Amino acid sequence: KLENATLKAELGRATWKFMHTMVARFPEEPSQEERKTLETFIYLFSRLYPCGDCARHFRGLLSKYPPQTSSRNAAAGWLCFVHNQVNERLKKPIFDCNNIGDFYDCGCGDEDKKKGD
Ligand code: FAD
């Protein structure tokens, strides 16, 4: 089947939004288990992302720049950096990772609630 660049870009935008929003909610001081969960998620994601060429390229980035999971800041900064690596390759504008703070708001309204509430 022919490549459809519009659909591929739409999937990319939705995926990046989800990923950046997910790490923006990652614990500031994660437990070992939370760190492992994020790391495992990222590697499984890189096996399952439906655009095969994108996934292959992303796996290359992972081997060069392993996921950083020591804190929310580390995880958000790492994801911003690897997204910029993709941007560079696709000749897209580079995002200022210092501005990532409030950019990804999930709108969930439960930021301060404890797990299980
Ligand atoms: P996107 O790159 O989708 O970004 C969406 C929005 O996020 C931007 O408008 C901006 O507001 C914000 N943003 C931009 N950069 C950052 C950053 N560094 N950190 C935080 N926020 C940021 N497409 C291909 O054609 N070839 C590929 O090999 C390819 N690989 C991909 C690999 C992965 C893992 C993913 C998720 C997507 C990949 N894509 C690939 C899709 C591509 O990255 C874009 O999503 C798509 O081209 C749409 O681009 P866009 O200009 O709308 O912005």
Side-chain angles (χ1 to χ4, degrees):
K1 220 176 159 197
L2 276 178
E3 171 179 318
N4 181 329
T6 306
L7 292 176
K8 187 167 149 184
E10 201 175 290
L11 176 67
R13 273 190 295 277
T15 302
W16 287 122
K17 174 140 192 164
F18 162 64
M19 299 269 275
H20 289 295
T21 307
M22 177 176 73
V23 296
R25 301 276 309 226
F26 189 63
E28 288 178 27
E29 294 179 4
S31 65
Q32 278 306 324
E33 198 202 347
E34 287 166 328
R35 292 185 62 175
K36 191 73 209 161
T37 299
L38 179 59
E39 192 183 308
T40 303
F41 176 89
I42 290 164
Y43 283 105
L44 292 175
F45 163 84
S46 81
R47 310 293 317 183
L48 292 167
Y49 190 67
C51 160
D53 288 336
C54 309
R56 202 167 311 114
H57 176 249
F58 192 68
R59 289 196 295 274
L61 285 176
L62 288 182
S63 59
K64 220 168 147 187
Y65 309 109
Q68 303 296 305
T69 63
S70 60
S71 68
R72 175 183 297 178
N73 254 339
W78 171 82
L79 187 64
C80 188
F81 173 82
V82 293
H83 187 170
N84 273 336
Q85 295 292 119
V86 176
N87 289 339
E88 199 176 300
R89 183 161 155 276
L90 301 178
K91 304 193 168 31
K92 287 179 184 280
I94 299 304
F95 189 88
D96 181 357
C97 294
N98 295 310
N99 287 343
I100 206 140
D102 294 321
F103 200 80
Y104 291 98
D105 181 348
C106 91
C108 316
D110 58 358
E111 172 78 270
D112 297 324
K113 279 197 188 166
K114 290 219 168 63
K115 279 178 217 142
D117 282 3

